[in-house]
Amino acid sequence: VLPSGKVSASAYRRGTNYLQGFANVGDFAGTFGVGIKDRAELFGSFLVDTRVERDLRPIFINDLKVGGILDRYPRANEGWEGDNLGDFYVGAKINLLSEYRQNPAAVALRGLIKVPTGKLEDGVSTGKADFAIDFLASKEVGEKVDVAGFAGYEWRGEAEGLEAPDGAFRWGAGASFPSRSRLRGTLEAHGF
């Protein structure tokens, strides 16, 4: 959690591969965070460009492992759905324990809402809001690397006319290094 009054921002490109359709979703995003009273943070991520590429030909086949739709991008029905406005994510994080306060690790709760700014018909969104809550923990190790993980649950909005999973267990783990530098590298893995 950012200290009170501190602001953080970043820009990045994320690529996510899916077995369904042998697909790749690429997002170009901007993020922000604002610290509130040393125990809370408001944050957001805006996907300014979302691209969905399906390499499977034909696009859909009768194969349960690889032939169906992407549940988060159900109308992606071409080989390339490029350069479209994506969704906006906004949330809050509340710090329960903190290394800053001499606790052995940082522990927090996070709530997240997906505002469906991406268009269903463009193939880059469900067009419905999602909600999630997560439990997070992190620890700085040897003043060199920050390690973190989370687990939680997401309630998903279903696209009109389609039946898809309406919820999922979420998890993730990552590391940031060097932990005390203004410029850091990050690694992460997450899934549902």
Side-chain angles (χ1 to χ4, degrees), residues 55-168:
D55 289 335
L56 187 65
R57 297 296 184 271
I59 298 295
F60 300 104
I61 62 174
N62 188 16
D63 183 316
L64 293 177
K65 290 184 181 178
V66 299
I69 66 167
L70 299 171
D71 67 335
R72 307 317 308 145
Y73 310 93
R75 296 273 192 251
N77 57 12
E78 297 179 19
W80 174 252
E81 308 276 354
D83 297 321
N84 291 285
L85 187 66
D87 292 320
F88 176 56
Y89 294 82
V90 63
K93 189 169 23 173
I94 298 170
N95 187 298
L96 304 173
L97 298 174
S98 172
E99 289 181 291
Y100 172 76
R101 289 182 161 57
Q102 305 306 312
N103 299 118
V107 176
L109 287 176
R110 171 178 63 193
L112 180 69
I113 298 170
K114 179 189 88 175
V115 179
T117 53
K119 292 184 180 175
L120 172 65
E121 57 271 14
D122 289 339
V124 296
S125 178
T126 61
K128 299 291 183 179
D130 296 343
F131 306 92
I133 190 161
D134 299 312
F135 175 79
L136 302 95
S138 67
K139 172 81 176 150
E140 184 182 31
V141 179
E143 298 183 358
K144 300 211 183 292
V145 65
D146 281 319
V147 294
F150 76 90
Y153 195 83
E154 176 178 34
W155 293 267
R156 297 174 173 179
E158 287 186 27
E160 297 218 11
L162 293 173
E163 237 181 82
D166 60 0

